[in-house]
Amino acid sequence: MRALGIKFANSISCQNTFNQVGFFDKLNKLDTNSEALVPNYKNLFQPSQLRRMSPILKAGLSLAISCKKACRAPFDSIIIGTGLGCLTDTGKFLQNINLKTGDSLSPTSFIQSTHNTIAGQISILLNNKGYNMTHSQNNLSFEMSLLDAMTEINEGKRSILVGGIDEAHPFLEEIKNRVVTKTYPNTLSAAFFVLDKADHQQTVQIKSVYTDFSSDSINPFIERVCKEGNIDFNQIDLVLHSGINSTLVAQHARSMNYLDYTGYNLSSSALATHFAYDFLKHNPNKTALIINHLCTSKSAIFIETNDQA
Amino acid sequence: MTIFVTGHSIISAIGTKTAEVHQNLKSEISGIKSMTVDGIGECNLALVSTTNEELKEKYTIKGDYSRTALLGIASLKNLINNCSLNSNKSLKTGFISGTSVGGIDATEQEYLKHLRGQEYNKEQFLNHSSGTVTDQIARETFPFDITNTISTACSSASNAILLAAKMMRMGLIDRAVVGGSDSLSNFTINGFKSLMIYDQNLCCPFDKNRKGLNLGEGAGYLLLETEKSITQTQNQPLALLSGWCNASDAYHQTASSPSGEGAQLAMQGALKMAQLKAEDISYINAHGTGTQNNDLSESTAIKAVFGNSTPDFSSTKSYTGHTLAASGGIESGIAIMALNKGCLYPNLHFKTKIKETGLTPILTYSEGKAMQHILSNAFGFGGNSTSLIFSKI
C-alpha cells in the first residue's frame, strides 16, 4: 500500500465545513430537517450555468475550483467516487419520459445523468486532459477512489484530485426503511482532497485503506486491519464509524458515530475523512480510523499525522 | 510486470459463445434488428435474444435481478467454464465491472408507477445501484477478494480493465475478472433518442453518409492474470495486455473535440506504455459508433497518431450495436480473437470515405495476417477516452 499525503481538503455538507479549518470541535448532531449548507454559488457560476446544474454538480464543481485555487499545479488525475451518481437528473429525465408528448424530449437531464458527469465536467472546467475516473461501488465508492489514487501514485503521478460525493433526493425518503436506513436524514455531502505521494513535509496522510467484501462480522475485520497495520486499536486517538454495533468500538475511549454528523449517503465516509483530517491537522502525532460498514461491504481508512504541524 | 489475458467471454446480439461471435463476424451477420419500442416507435436495436427468464433457467440464477446483472452473471459463468478460475487462498482475485446505468432496467418502471401515483414495488429499488449489480454478479459466480464498479459511460469496461492492470502492478491483486455489462432500458433508449443520434437504418461507421448509432446490449469480460497467478492456475495465456491509457478530451459533455485530442492522448499513451511505435499496430478495433461526431473525430485522431500509414481498422458496432459500458469488454474479446486467429473483421455498410480524412475500414473478412499488436478504443461521455493494446504471446 502507498500512503497518500493530504495537501488540501474541503467539503460541502450539513455542517459548516466549506472553506473552514478547525471545525471538528464545533460539529453538531443533525436532525431530520438538516440540509446542506451550500456556498453562494452565484459567486462561482453564471446564472445561465446554474439553471442547468443539479445540486451534486454544483457542489462537485465548487469543490474542484477550491482545490485548484489552493494547489495551483494541474492535477495529474481526477478520481470521483459516487454511490448513486446524479440522482436529480436521472429522476428528472424519467419524469420527462413520463410527461413526453410527441417526439421531442430535452436531452439536458439525460446528458447530466451519467455517473461520470461530475468528473467529466471538472475536466472541462479546469481544461484537464489527464486520467479521469469514476467509481460507483455503493458505500465503498470513496475508498475505491483512494485505492485508485494509490495506483496512480504508483504509476508516477504526482497530484491527484479525489472526491467522494452523493446527493439527496426526495424519492429516497419514499423508499426509506427498504433501501436506505431509517435513522439518519438523507443528505448531500461532498468531500474533496488533493493527494500526493506522502513525503516527509506532509502533516496528515492516509496511511492505508482496507476493504472487505465477505459477510463476516465487524470485530474480526477491525482486529485484522489493526494487526496488518501494526496498530493497537485502543491507542487510536479517534475512531469514526458508520453507526456499527461493535463491542470493540463501544469500549473505545474516543469513538464517534459519524452518521450523526454527516447524515446518510453512500459517500459519507469521505466527509468523515475530512472531519478526521481537521481533527488531526490541529492535533499532531495522532492517529484516526474511519470504519465504514454502511452496507454489507466494509472498509477501514487509517489517517495519521507524523510531523509537528 | 507482465499481464496475461487467459480467458474471455462475450454475451451479445451476435452470440453468447465466442465461436458463435467469431462465425457471425466472419459471415457478416449483424445482430441489429428493427423493432417497435413503446413510446419511441421503429428503432434498430441489437438485443441479446435470450429473455430474462431464459437466462435465469439456463444459468441457474435464483435471484430477482436486473437484466444488467443477469447478462453479467451469464458472461462470468461462461468465462469460468472456459478457463480455470478456482478458489485459491494464495491468489488475491478482483472483480472490476463497468456499467453505465446499473439496474435501471429493473427500477425505471416502478419509478414511473410512483410518478403516476400508482402502487409500486419498493423492494425493486434494491437492484438499482451500479455497485449492487456488481455485487450480485460476484455473489452468483465467485468469492472475489475485492469488488469494484467503474461508471464512465461508454468507456467503463475498458477502464475496468486498466484499473485491474494498475492494481496488479501495485500488488493489490494477482488476477481479476474485468469488463462490463449493460442492458437496454427505456431510460437509455429515450436518452439517445433525445440526443438525436440514431440511424433509422443500419449504422455504417466511418461512412461519409453515416446518420448515427444503433444501441445494443450485452456483457464482455476478460480474465487477467499475473505471472505468479498463471504458474499456479496453469491457464494458457491468450494475449498480453501490454499498454493502456485513459485521458480526458476536456471539450464537451457529449461531443468529441474536432481534433479528437482525448483519443490521440489515449492512443499515444497506450503506445508509449507498451513501448511500441505507431507502425507496430496491426489492427485497430475502433470505437466507431456511426455518429457524425465520433467517427470524424476518431478518424482525425487516428490520422494524427498514425500518419499516412493507418493500420487496418474496423468498428464491430455494425454487428453488436453500441453496447455502451459493455463495449470495451466485448470489443477487447473480439480484438483477442482477431489477434489469435490472425483475422480481420469487416466494418459493415461502409460505402464512401469521409472527405476530411479519406480512411477506408476493413471491408472483407480475411485470415492469415501476422498480427503482433492490436489497439482497442473506447470513448465515453464527459470526454472519457481509453485505449488498450493487446499483444501476441
Side-chain angles (χ1 to χ4, degrees):
Chain A
M1 206 142 322
R2 276 181 176 269
L4 299 165
I6 304 179
K7 270 173 85 176
F8 180 73
N10 202 358
S11 65
I12 291 174
S13 68
C14 298
Q15 306 284 345
N16 186 19
T17 54
F18 185 69
N19 286 342
Q20 300 297 311
V21 286
F23 58 78
F24 184 81
D25 291 327
K26 299 175 204 153
L27 293 174
N28 295 310
K29 282 197 178 186
L30 303 183
D31 59 48
T32 47
N33 300 318
S34 295
E35 281 190 28
L37 305 172
V38 298
N40 188 355
Y41 291 127
K42 284 182 192 150
N43 296 336
L44 292 166
F45 306 102
Q46 298 296 326
S48 59
Q49 289 175 297
L50 278 176
R51 269 198 298 278
R52 286 196 301 268
M53 287 162 73
S54 62
I56 196 170
L57 203 48
K58 286 179 202 166
L61 294 185
S62 305
L63 288 169
I65 292 169
S66 79
C67 289
K68 186 69 181 39
K69 262 190 192 155
C71 315
R72 296 187 171 275
F75 304 124
D76 293 323
S77 323
I78 294 170
I79 305 171
I80 298 296
T82 179
L84 287 170
C86 300
L87 281 181
T88 303
D89 278 310
T90 304
K92 211 184 257 181
F93 193 67
L94 282 170
Q95 195 155 14
N96 290 348
I97 294 174
N98 187 36
L99 299 173
K100 179 176 78 160
T101 49
D103 238 12
S104 73
L105 196 55
S106 161
T108 309
S109 52
F110 176 68
I111 288 170
Q112 297 187 157
S113 71
T114 53
H115 284 58
N116 70 327
T117 305
I118 307 146
Q121 286 291 319
I122 293 171
S123 76
I124 295 167
L125 186 74
L126 303 181
N127 192 28
N128 186 303
K129 298 192 164 69
Y131 179 84
N132 196 281
M133 203 52 60
T134 300
H135 298 260
S136 186
Q137 187 52 43
N138 289 335
N139 61 317
L140 300 194
S141 304
F142 174 65
E143 285 78 351
M144 287 300 158
S145 303
L146 291 177
L147 286 176
D148 190 358
M150 289 180 186
T151 69
E152 283 296 282
I153 295 286
N154 191 51
E155 300 285 330
K157 306 289 182 65
R158 285 200 287 265
S159 177
I160 325 281
L161 178 69
V162 170
I165 183 163
D166 265 291
E167 66 183 347
H169 190 280
F171 185 66
L172 292 176
E173 293 294 328
E174 298 276 333
I175 52 173
K176 226 172 180 174
N177 304 333
R178 305 287 174 121
V179 179
V180 292
T181 176
K182 334 168 196 351
T183 328
Y184 311 96
N186 290 304
T187 54
L188 173 145
S189 80
F192 278 47
F193 303 85
V194 182
L195 305 172
D196 65 4
K197 189 160 77 177
D199 41 26
H200 63 278
Q201 64 272 55
Q202 291 306 331
T203 52
V204 182
Q205 51 179 265
I206 295 170
K207 192 88 182 143
S208 49
V209 177
Y210 296 94
T211 56
D212 187 298
F213 293 85
S214 70
S215 49
D216 295 350
S217 58
I218 193 76
N219 280 352
F221 172 68
I222 297 173
E223 282 161 359
R224 175 171 73 79
V225 297
C226 285
K227 197 174 158 208
E228 276 184 43
N230 205 14
I231 292 162
D232 178 354
F233 180 72
N234 291 312
Q235 295 299 309
I236 297 170
D237 300 286
L238 176 68
V239 173
L240 296 172
H241 65 90
S242 60
I244 56 177
N245 196 359
S246 147
T247 44
L248 262 178
V249 170
Q251 286 159 17
H252 191 277
R254 188 159 189 188
S255 71
M256 172 174 142
N257 173 0
Y258 64 75
L259 293 177
D260 284 335
Y261 301 86
T262 60
Y264 184 98
N265 69 61
L266 292 173
S267 292
S268 46
S269 64
L271 182 57
T273 302
H274 189 206
F275 291 175
Y277 170 79
D278 188 75
F279 168 80
L280 292 171
K281 188 107 178 121
H282 301 93
N283 290 285
N285 294 315
K286 294 209 187 300
T287 310
L289 169 63
I290 294 153
I291 308 166
N292 168 4
H293 192 14
L294 212 53
C295 307
T296 317
S297 316
K298 34 198 176 290
S299 71
I301 306 172
F302 285 100
I303 312 177
E304 60 178 44
T305 40
N306 278 336
D307 298 348
Q308 295 294 318
Chain B
M1 173 184 277
T2 313
I3 294 167
F4 299 94
V5 182
T6 55
H8 63 92
S9 87
I10 294 171
I11 301 269
S12 77
I14 54 166
T16 56
K17 293 261 167 3
T18 47
E20 189 187 359
V21 171
H22 168 72
Q23 195 52 48
N24 283 324
L25 289 168
K26 183 179 171 178
S27 316
E28 304 193 8
I29 297 170
S30 170
I32 302 167
K33 292 188 173 69
S34 175
M35 55 196 78
T36 309
V37 180
D38 274 357
I40 295 274
E42 281 295 297
C43 196
N44 283 305
L45 298 172
L47 299 181
V48 174
S49 57
T50 328
T51 65
N52 285 358
E53 288 312 311
E54 287 165 349
L55 283 169
K56 282 189 195 174
E57 192 175 328
K58 189 169 170 196
Y59 293 94
T60 54
I61 307 165
K62 295 214 170 55
D64 181 21
Y65 303 136
S66 67
R67 184 164 175 80
T68 304
L70 294 174
L71 293 171
I73 295 165
S75 185
L76 256 72
K77 288 202 170 185
N78 286 349
L79 179 76
I80 293 169
N81 265 338
N82 293 342
C83 52
S84 137
L85 184 68
N86 298 315
S87 191
N88 179 336
K89 283 240 151 48
S90 67
L91 295 177
K92 279 221 176 307
T93 311
F95 176 44
I96 307 178
S97 188
T99 185
S100 67
V101 285
I104 206 165
D105 65 280
T107 55
E108 60 184 5
Q109 293 309 326
E110 299 306 316
Y111 191 71
L112 289 179
K113 283 183 205 164
H114 155 73
L115 288 177
R116 291 166 188 159
Q118 299 162 354
E119 282 281 305
Y120 67 99
N121 178 6
K122 290 184 180 177
E123 302 293 327
Q124 196 55 263
F125 289 90
L126 291 166
N127 284 321
H128 181 81
S129 84
S130 303
T132 298
V133 168
T134 306
D135 288 346
Q136 290 169 339
I137 299 170
R139 189 189 307 151
E140 292 283 336
T141 53
F142 189 80
F144 293 103
D145 295 295
I146 188 161
T147 302
N148 187 21
T149 310
I150 296 292
S151 195
T152 56
C154 308
S155 53
S156 300
S158 292
N159 285 332
I161 293 169
L162 74 76
L163 177 69
K166 291 197 298 164
M167 288 169 75
M168 286 175 172
R169 282 174 33 135
M170 206 176 125
L172 288 172
I173 48 175
D174 305 302
R175 56 180 179 173
V177 174
V178 290
S181 176
D182 249 342
S183 66
L184 279 175
S185 60
N186 272 319
F187 185 85
T188 310
I189 296 172
N190 276 286
F192 281 88
K193 168 99 177 169
S194 75
L195 291 170
M196 296 192 279
I197 50 172
Y198 280 142
D199 193 328
Q200 291 308 312
N201 299 304
L202 297 173
C203 68
C204 45
F206 297 106
D207 188 278
K208 179 184 168 224
N209 299 311
R210 67 200 179 281
K211 297 280 187 309
L213 55 78
N214 306 137
L215 284 180
E217 64 176 358
Y221 291 92
L222 309 178
L223 177 59
L224 300 182
E225 295 186 63
T226 59
E227 200 141 12
K228 174 189 169 190
S229 180
I230 56 165
T231 51
Q232 297 191 36
T233 62
Q234 300 287 312
N235 276 328
Q236 208 54 40
L238 303 172
L240 304 174
L241 173 62
S242 54
W244 59 83
C245 183
N246 168 271
S248 195
D249 199 36
Y251 177 73
H252 186 269
Q253 181 63 18
T254 52
S256 304
S257 62
S259 64
E261 198 178 350
Q264 285 188 44
L265 291 169
M267 288 189 276
Q268 282 160 348
L271 284 167
K272 191 178 167 203
M273 169 174 274
Q275 295 180 304
L276 295 176
K277 295 195 201 71
E279 59 262 35
D280 296 327
I281 297 297
S282 323
Y283 165 67
I284 302 172
N285 187 294
H287 187 57
T289 57
T291 62
Q292 278 291 330
N293 176 248
N294 177 80
D295 292 6
L296 177 57
S297 171
E298 187 175 8
S299 302
T300 308
I302 288 173
K303 289 211 51 157
V305 174
F306 293 92
N308 287 326
S309 52
T310 306
D312 286 324
F313 75 99
S314 63
S315 164
T316 44
K317 288 189 174 69
S318 47
Y319 296 82
T320 60
H322 187 0
T323 56
L324 307 174
S327 64
I330 290 173
E331 288 161 28
S332 290
I334 291 173
I336 289 160
M337 289 197 292
L339 188 69
N340 281 324
K341 294 178 196 289
C343 62
L344 293 170
Y345 296 121
N347 184 112
L348 301 179
H349 317 305
F350 175 90
K351 288 194 186 76
T352 320
K353 292 179 205 175
I354 297 173
K355 206 175 88 204
E356 294 88 331
T357 50
L359 296 179
T360 305
I362 301 159
L363 300 177
T364 49
Y365 177 81
S366 68
E367 275 174 27
K369 180 175 167 145
M371 292 215 231
Q372 282 305 316
H373 309 282
I374 286 182
L375 182 83
S376 170
N377 282 340
F379 311 132
F381 277 12
N384 202 285
S385 314
T386 301
S387 296
L388 304 171
I389 295 175
F390 297 99
S391 301
K392 212 161 181 143
I393 295 292

mmCIF file of all heavy atoms in Angstrom, chain A residues 14-15 27-36 173 176 182-188 258-264:
data_model
loop_
_atom_site.group_PDB
_atom_site.id
_atom_site.type_symbol
_atom_site.label_atom_id
_atom_site.label_comp_id
_atom_site.label_asym_id
_atom_site.label_seq_id
_atom_site.Cartn_x
_atom_site.Cartn_y
_atom_site.Cartn_z
ATOM 1 N N CYS A 14 -23.860 19.295 5.652
ATOM 2 C CA CYS A 14 -24.834 19.950 6.539
ATOM 3 C C CYS A 14 -24.140 20.665 7.697
ATOM 4 O O CYS A 14 -24.781 21.319 8.508
ATOM 5 C CB CYS A 14 -25.816 18.925 7.087
ATOM 6 S SG CYS A 14 -26.781 18.121 5.810
ATOM 7 N N GLN A 15 -22.833 20.485 7.810
ATOM 8 C CA GLN A 15 -22.049 21.199 8.815
ATOM 9 C C GLN A 15 -21.389 22.411 8.152
ATOM 10 O O GLN A 15 -21.304 22.475 6.927
ATOM 11 C CB GLN A 15 -20.952 20.282 9.381
ATOM 12 C CG GLN A 15 -21.445 18.964 9.935
ATOM 13 C CD GLN A 15 -22.105 19.103 11.300
ATOM 14 O OE1 GLN A 15 -21.969 20.131 11.976
ATOM 15 N NE2 GLN A 15 -22.834 18.068 11.692
ATOM 16 N N LEU A 27 -18.716 20.588 15.508
ATOM 17 C CA LEU A 27 -19.707 19.797 14.767
ATOM 18 C C LEU A 27 -20.952 19.575 15.625
ATOM 19 O O LEU A 27 -20.861 19.332 16.829
ATOM 20 C CB LEU A 27 -19.113 18.435 14.374
ATOM 21 C CG LEU A 27 -17.959 18.445 13.359
ATOM 22 C CD1 LEU A 27 -17.389 17.036 13.200
ATOM 23 C CD2 LEU A 27 -18.404 19.002 12.017
ATOM 24 N N ASN A 28 -22.117 19.691 14.987
ATOM 25 C CA ASN A 28 -23.378 19.468 15.696
ATOM 26 C C ASN A 28 -24.071 18.233 15.150
ATOM 27 O O ASN A 28 -23.982 17.943 13.960
ATOM 28 C CB ASN A 28 -24.318 20.664 15.489
ATOM 29 C CG ASN A 28 -23.767 21.910 16.107
ATOM 30 O OD1 ASN A 28 -23.368 21.920 17.271
ATOM 31 N ND2 ASN A 28 -23.696 22.979 15.308
ATOM 32 N N LYS A 29 -24.801 17.544 16.042
ATOM 33 C CA LYS A 29 -25.599 16.413 15.563
ATOM 34 C C LYS A 29 -26.707 16.935 14.664
ATOM 35 O O LYS A 29 -27.316 17.963 14.950
ATOM 36 C CB LYS A 29 -26.203 15.656 16.746
ATOM 37 C CG LYS A 29 -25.209 14.743 17.434
ATOM 38 C CD LYS A 29 -25.907 13.714 18.303
ATOM 39 C CE LYS A 29 -24.855 12.795 18.916
ATOM 40 N NZ LYS A 29 -25.426 11.689 19.661
ATOM 41 N N LEU A 30 -26.969 16.218 13.580
ATOM 42 C CA LEU A 30 -28.002 16.659 12.643
ATOM 43 C C LEU A 30 -29.373 16.235 13.138
ATOM 44 O O LEU A 30 -29.496 15.308 13.936
ATOM 45 C CB LEU A 30 -27.750 16.049 11.259
ATOM 46 C CG LEU A 30 -26.395 16.330 10.611
ATOM 47 C CD1 LEU A 30 -26.344 15.719 9.210
ATOM 48 C CD2 LEU A 30 -26.110 17.820 10.533
ATOM 49 N N ASP A 31 -30.389 16.924 12.678
ATOM 50 C CA ASP A 31 -31.743 16.434 12.932
ATOM 51 C C ASP A 31 -32.421 16.143 11.593
ATOM 52 O O ASP A 31 -31.830 16.359 10.526
ATOM 53 C CB ASP A 31 -32.546 17.427 13.786
ATOM 54 C CG ASP A 31 -32.656 18.781 13.127
ATOM 55 O OD1 ASP A 31 -33.000 18.823 11.926
ATOM 56 O OD2 ASP A 31 -32.394 19.804 13.801
ATOM 57 N N THR A 32 -33.654 15.687 11.634
ATOM 58 C CA THR A 32 -34.308 15.212 10.408
ATOM 59 C C THR A 32 -34.472 16.318 9.360
ATOM 60 O O THR A 32 -34.653 16.036 8.192
ATOM 61 C CB THR A 32 -35.700 14.617 10.717
ATOM 62 O OG1 THR A 32 -36.356 15.536 11.584
ATOM 63 C CG2 THR A 32 -35.585 13.256 11.359
ATOM 64 N N ASN A 33 -34.426 17.590 9.814
ATOM 65 C CA ASN A 33 -34.617 18.679 8.847
ATOM 66 C C ASN A 33 -33.307 19.261 8.322
ATOM 67 O O ASN A 33 -33.324 20.245 7.579
ATOM 68 C CB ASN A 33 -35.417 19.818 9.492
ATOM 69 C CG ASN A 33 -36.768 19.340 9.943
ATOM 70 O OD1 ASN A 33 -37.426 18.587 9.228
ATOM 71 N ND2 ASN A 33 -37.165 19.720 11.155
ATOM 72 N N SER A 34 -32.199 18.672 8.723
ATOM 73 C CA SER A 34 -30.908 19.249 8.332
ATOM 74 C C SER A 34 -30.734 19.251 6.818
ATOM 75 O O SER A 34 -31.075 18.287 6.146
ATOM 76 C CB SER A 34 -29.766 18.448 8.955
ATOM 77 O OG SER A 34 -29.815 18.570 10.356
ATOM 78 N N GLU A 35 -30.226 20.354 6.316
ATOM 79 C CA GLU A 35 -29.942 20.456 4.886
ATOM 80 C C GLU A 35 -28.517 20.937 4.681
ATOM 81 O O GLU A 35 -27.934 21.560 5.562
ATOM 82 C CB GLU A 35 -30.909 21.443 4.220
ATOM 83 C CG GLU A 35 -32.257 20.813 3.954
ATOM 84 C CD GLU A 35 -33.146 21.687 3.095
ATOM 85 O OE1 GLU A 35 -32.598 22.474 2.300
ATOM 86 O OE2 GLU A 35 -34.366 21.573 3.254
ATOM 87 N N ALA A 36 -27.981 20.666 3.501
ATOM 88 C CA ALA A 36 -26.602 21.059 3.225
ATOM 89 C C ALA A 36 -26.464 22.578 3.269
ATOM 90 O O ALA A 36 -27.326 23.311 2.784
ATOM 91 C CB ALA A 36 -26.178 20.532 1.861
ATOM 92 N N GLU A 173 -36.547 9.381 0.440
ATOM 93 C CA GLU A 173 -37.425 9.398 1.620
ATOM 94 C C GLU A 173 -38.578 8.415 1.434
ATOM 95 O O GLU A 173 -39.007 7.747 2.373
ATOM 96 C CB GLU A 173 -37.978 10.814 1.853
ATOM 97 C CG GLU A 173 -36.937 11.841 2.265
ATOM 98 C CD GLU A 173 -36.324 11.561 3.637
ATOM 99 O OE1 GLU A 173 -37.018 11.020 4.508
ATOM 100 O OE2 GLU A 173 -35.121 11.877 3.807
ATOM 101 N N LYS A 176 -37.436 4.895 2.119
ATOM 102 C CA LYS A 176 -36.753 4.721 3.388
ATOM 103 C C LYS A 176 -37.240 3.426 4.046
ATOM 104 O O LYS A 176 -38.368 3.014 3.836
ATOM 105 C CB LYS A 176 -37.078 5.907 4.299
ATOM 106 C CG LYS A 176 -35.855 6.468 4.974
ATOM 107 C CD LYS A 176 -36.179 7.737 5.702
ATOM 108 C CE LYS A 176 -34.900 8.225 6.336
ATOM 109 N NZ LYS A 176 -35.018 9.513 6.949
ATOM 110 N N LYS A 182 -33.280 4.004 8.326
ATOM 111 C CA LYS A 182 -34.398 4.737 8.911
ATOM 112 C C LYS A 182 -33.930 5.941 9.726
ATOM 113 O O LYS A 182 -34.537 6.974 9.749
ATOM 114 C CB LYS A 182 -35.196 3.835 9.858
ATOM 115 C CG LYS A 182 -35.099 2.375 9.539
ATOM 116 C CD LYS A 182 -35.678 1.556 10.690
ATOM 117 C CE LYS A 182 -35.341 0.106 10.735
ATOM 118 N NZ LYS A 182 -34.731 -0.693 9.857
ATOM 119 N N THR A 183 -32.795 5.801 10.408
ATOM 120 C CA THR A 183 -32.460 6.717 11.488
ATOM 121 C C THR A 183 -31.966 8.092 11.062
ATOM 122 O O THR A 183 -32.299 9.085 11.698
ATOM 123 C CB THR A 183 -31.361 6.075 12.369
ATOM 124 O OG1 THR A 183 -31.559 4.671 12.351
ATOM 125 C CG2 THR A 183 -31.432 6.590 13.772
ATOM 126 N N TYR A 184 -31.181 8.151 10.020
ATOM 127 C CA TYR A 184 -30.477 9.399 9.714
ATOM 128 C C TYR A 184 -31.121 10.141 8.547
ATOM 129 O O TYR A 184 -31.709 9.520 7.667
ATOM 130 C CB TYR A 184 -29.015 9.092 9.371
ATOM 131 C CG TYR A 184 -28.361 8.189 10.378
ATOM 132 C CD1 TYR A 184 -28.295 6.821 10.160
ATOM 133 C CD2 TYR A 184 -27.856 8.694 11.571
ATOM 134 C CE1 TYR A 184 -27.726 5.972 11.098
ATOM 135 C CE2 TYR A 184 -27.285 7.852 12.505
ATOM 136 C CZ TYR A 184 -27.224 6.486 12.265
ATOM 137 O OH TYR A 184 -26.664 5.657 13.194
ATOM 138 N N PRO A 185 -31.007 11.477 8.537
ATOM 139 C CA PRO A 185 -31.545 12.204 7.381
ATOM 140 C C PRO A 185 -30.728 11.905 6.124
ATOM 141 O O PRO A 185 -29.513 11.722 6.214
ATOM 142 C CB PRO A 185 -31.390 13.670 7.785
ATOM 143 C CG PRO A 185 -30.309 13.695 8.803
ATOM 144 C CD PRO A 185 -30.380 12.383 9.528
ATOM 145 N N ASN A 186 -31.396 11.814 4.968
ATOM 146 C CA ASN A 186 -30.668 11.698 3.701
ATOM 147 C C ASN A 186 -30.079 13.057 3.381
ATOM 148 O O ASN A 186 -30.801 14.042 3.357
ATOM 149 C CB ASN A 186 -31.613 11.293 2.570
ATOM 150 C CG ASN A 186 -32.087 9.874 2.728
ATOM 151 O OD1 ASN A 186 -31.288 8.953 2.816
ATOM 152 N ND2 ASN A 186 -33.395 9.700 2.792
ATOM 153 N N THR A 187 -28.794 13.089 3.131
ATOM 154 C CA THR A 187 -28.142 14.380 2.939
ATOM 155 C C THR A 187 -27.294 14.398 1.683
ATOM 156 O O THR A 187 -26.874 13.357 1.200
ATOM 157 C CB THR A 187 -27.190 14.676 4.124
ATOM 158 O OG1 THR A 187 -26.297 13.574 4.271
ATOM 159 C CG2 THR A 187 -27.958 14.901 5.401
ATOM 160 N N LEU A 188 -27.041 15.616 1.209
ATOM 161 C CA LEU A 188 -25.995 15.794 0.203
ATOM 162 C C LEU A 188 -24.704 15.983 0.976
ATOM 163 O O LEU A 188 -24.663 16.742 1.941
ATOM 164 C CB LEU A 188 -26.275 17.034 -0.653
ATOM 165 C CG LEU A 188 -25.177 17.450 -1.652
ATOM 166 C CD1 LEU A 188 -25.816 18.028 -2.913
ATOM 167 C CD2 LEU A 188 -24.176 18.440 -1.087
ATOM 168 N N TYR A 258 -20.164 8.715 13.003
ATOM 169 C CA TYR A 258 -20.115 9.903 12.131
ATOM 170 C C TYR A 258 -21.438 10.195 11.443
ATOM 171 O O TYR A 258 -21.712 11.327 11.068
ATOM 172 C CB TYR A 258 -18.939 9.838 11.143
ATOM 173 C CG TYR A 258 -18.928 8.738 10.101
ATOM 174 C CD1 TYR A 258 -19.760 8.783 8.998
ATOM 175 C CD2 TYR A 258 -18.023 7.681 10.189
ATOM 176 C CE1 TYR A 258 -19.715 7.793 8.025
ATOM 177 C CE2 TYR A 258 -17.962 6.688 9.213
ATOM 178 C CZ TYR A 258 -18.822 6.742 8.137
ATOM 179 O OH TYR A 258 -18.776 5.770 7.174
ATOM 180 N N LEU A 259 -22.299 9.180 11.279
ATOM 181 C CA LEU A 259 -23.581 9.419 10.597
ATOM 182 C C LEU A 259 -24.445 10.443 11.336
ATOM 183 O O LEU A 259 -25.248 11.143 10.727
ATOM 184 C CB LEU A 259 -24.348 8.107 10.435
ATOM 185 C CG LEU A 259 -23.727 7.070 9.496
ATOM 186 C CD1 LEU A 259 -24.567 5.807 9.491
ATOM 187 C CD2 LEU A 259 -23.585 7.618 8.074
ATOM 188 N N ASP A 260 -24.256 10.543 12.666
ATOM 189 C CA ASP A 260 -24.979 11.565 13.438
ATOM 190 C C ASP A 260 -24.619 12.968 12.946
ATOM 191 O O ASP A 260 -25.386 13.913 13.124
ATOM 192 C CB ASP A 260 -24.613 11.471 14.927
ATOM 193 C CG ASP A 260 -25.295 10.285 15.603
ATOM 194 O OD1 ASP A 260 -26.354 9.855 15.111
ATOM 195 O OD2 ASP A 260 -24.740 9.799 16.614
ATOM 196 N N TYR A 261 -23.435 13.087 12.352
ATOM 197 C CA TYR A 261 -22.929 14.406 11.940
ATOM 198 C C TYR A 261 -22.901 14.612 10.421
ATOM 199 O O TYR A 261 -22.955 15.731 9.947
ATOM 200 C CB TYR A 261 -21.509 14.610 12.505
ATOM 201 C CG TYR A 261 -21.487 14.513 14.009
ATOM 202 C CD1 TYR A 261 -21.348 13.273 14.635
ATOM 203 C CD2 TYR A 261 -21.653 15.642 14.810
ATOM 204 C CE1 TYR A 261 -21.369 13.160 16.017
ATOM 205 C CE2 TYR A 261 -21.674 15.545 16.190
ATOM 206 C CZ TYR A 261 -21.528 14.290 16.787
ATOM 207 O OH TYR A 261 -21.560 14.192 18.152
ATOM 208 N N THR A 262 -22.808 13.489 9.681
ATOM 209 C CA THR A 262 -22.759 13.609 8.218
ATOM 210 C C THR A 262 -24.145 13.439 7.607
ATOM 211 O O THR A 262 -24.403 13.893 6.498
ATOM 212 C CB THR A 262 -21.869 12.508 7.590
ATOM 213 O OG1 THR A 262 -22.422 11.225 7.927
ATOM 214 C CG2 THR A 262 -20.438 12.586 8.094
ATOM 215 N N GLY A 263 -25.043 12.739 8.321
ATOM 216 C CA GLY A 263 -26.276 12.283 7.702
ATOM 217 C C GLY A 263 -25.971 11.071 6.850
ATOM 218 O O GLY A 263 -24.817 10.597 6.814
ATOM 219 N N TYR A 264 -27.025 10.555 6.176
ATOM 220 C CA TYR A 264 -26.863 9.315 5.428
ATOM 221 C C TYR A 264 -26.708 9.582 3.941
ATOM 222 O O TYR A 264 -27.565 10.184 3.311
ATOM 223 C CB TYR A 264 -28.074 8.410 5.650
ATOM 224 C CG TYR A 264 -27.951 7.057 4.974
ATOM 225 C CD1 TYR A 264 -27.532 5.948 5.689
ATOM 226 C CD2 TYR A 264 -28.223 6.899 3.621
ATOM 227 C CE1 TYR A 264 -27.398 4.709 5.081
ATOM 228 C CE2 TYR A 264 -28.095 5.667 3.001
ATOM 229 C CZ TYR A 264 -27.679 4.582 3.736
ATOM 230 O OH TYR A 264 -27.549 3.371 3.126
#
